[in-house]
Amino acid sequence: MKIGLFVKKAALRGDVRLGALLLRLKKGGHEIYPIAERSDLQDGTDIVLSVGGDGTFLSASRRVEGTSVPILGVNLGRLGFLSEYSPEEVVEAMENGSWSVENRTLLQAFLPDGNIWPYALNEVTVHRRGAAMLGIRVSIDGNMLPTYWADGLVVATSSGSTAYSLSVGGPICMPDAKVLIIAPIAPHNLNVRPLVVPDTSRITIGVISRDPMVTVTLDNRTAEVPSDVTFDVRMAQFSLGRVRLSTSNFVSALTGKLFWGEDIRNNTV
């Protein structure tokens, strides 16, 4: 098997656990080569190993744009929902062939600034830059919602439901749920709630602001755009392949990493 290796943080390259992982894979007959940029991805690559945390996984997604090469997240970071697997788990799965590929929805933001990669795996957000709140006009397939008055707005995929969307009160969705989440950031309307819509929806966003510029983020990338911007967010025409180990379980990840449902009464059931 031909494996691309993406390590964003230089300090991790000397990690003992990573070294042991690579040694085992090479002994198993796998070819491994490093990737830094999209142009480094070689023909015939079967898998890209993303080594670090979820931020590294998001960066790795850009390196496989437009290909069918899936990403396997090796967790040498902190929490890790996308990069959830330890080096030891990865070695065992690669040796036993106990893994599969799941397709994750990507978002595409149609921004006037063409200098930013327009795709996001977790979320697209718009934020205020100054102290004043934003008025955020949102329509879904041409149907206008009441204006959100808030610090910003998150449009998230089901993959991103455990990321920024969760921190602003959005729902948790199973990764294979075909939905998008629209959630305000620190809303000044007490009667607004996150909204779940089909992932086929065309979401149009406009902004009312006293400031000349607002911030738009796509996962871990940022752009400054004029505050009179109007742009669409839609499901991209291609998905991202993520390697899932057979031992993986989303509910177990929620309880183990986010302590979901942690309650002393549950320990006696």
Side-chain angles (χ1 to χ4, degrees):
M1 185 177 291
K2 192 171 186 178
I3 301 172
L5 179 67
F6 180 70
V7 185
K8 189 175 181 180
K9 295 182 179 180
L12 295 181
R13 294 191 178 98
D15 189 282
V16 173
R17 297 173 70 199
L18 174 59
L21 166 64
L22 299 180
L23 182 60
R24 288 275 295 275
L25 291 177
K26 289 176 180 177
K27 285 184 176 180
H30 301 291
E31 176 188 350
I32 303 172
Y33 71 95
I35 294 175
E37 301 298 334
R38 170 66 178 82
S39 57
D40 297 331
L41 189 68
Q42 298 178 9
D43 291 340
T45 300
D46 296 293
I47 285 178
V48 167
L49 292 184
S50 168
V51 180
D54 283 356
T56 300
F57 190 102
L58 294 172
S59 296
S61 67
R62 186 172 183 178
R63 275 68 183 176
V64 298
E65 174 194 0
T67 74
S68 59
V69 179
I71 302 174
L72 199 170
V74 183
N75 192 348
L76 290 179
R78 289 170 291 182
L79 193 60
F81 270 91
L82 297 169
S83 295
E84 64 174 299
Y85 305 117
S86 69
E88 295 75 21
E89 289 175 305
V90 171
V91 166
E92 183 176 350
M94 297 289 283
E95 289 179 344
N96 299 334
S98 54
W99 55 273
S100 59
V101 177
E102 58 185 14
N103 292 318
R104 295 292 184 96
T105 296
L106 291 172
L107 293 174
Q108 182 173 2
F110 294 82
L111 292 167
D113 181 358
N115 295 323
I116 187 170
W117 193 58
Y119 302 103
L121 175 62
N122 276 347
E123 71 274 316
V124 175
T125 72
V126 58
H127 297 260
R128 63 182 174 88
R129 286 192 66 194
M133 75 178 88
L134 299 179
I136 307 168
R137 297 176 297 228
V138 180
S139 69
I140 302 169
D141 295 328
N143 298 305
M144 188 65 67
L145 301 180
T147 299
Y148 292 98
W149 295 96
D151 286 356
L153 187 81
V154 176
V155 179
T157 63
S158 54
S159 294
S161 72
T162 51
Y164 195 2
S165 174
L166 181 64
S167 72
V168 300
I172 296 174
C173 301
M174 300 296 283
D176 56 354
K178 304 300 183 184
V179 298
L180 302 178
I181 302 162
I182 301 172
I185 303 168
H188 293 247
N189 319 58
L190 297 180
N191 58 347
V192 297
R193 294 291 184 271
L195 182 64
V196 177
V197 301
D199 66 1
T200 54
S201 302
R202 175 173 58 88
I203 301 169
T204 303
I205 298 173
V207 178
I208 303 168
S209 177
R210 297 177 190 171
D211 297 309
M213 304 290 284
V214 293
T215 300
V216 174
T217 67
L218 294 92
D219 286 341
N220 53 0
R221 305 177 313 282
T222 301
E224 306 297 327
V225 300
S227 59
D228 61 356
V229 68
T230 298
F231 64 98
D232 284 354
V233 177
R234 304 181 202 171
M235 179 176 62
Q237 295 304 302
F238 62 95
S239 58
L240 176 71
R242 175 183 178 269
V243 174
R244 179 179 179 274
L245 305 190
S246 60
T247 56
S248 174
N249 181 288
F250 182 68
V251 174
S252 295
L254 286 177
T255 56
K257 295 176 183 293
L258 295 183
F259 304 104
W260 185 42
E262 187 72 18
D263 189 313
I264 191 172
R265 292 168 295 184
N266 293 339
N267 295 329
T268 62
V269 176

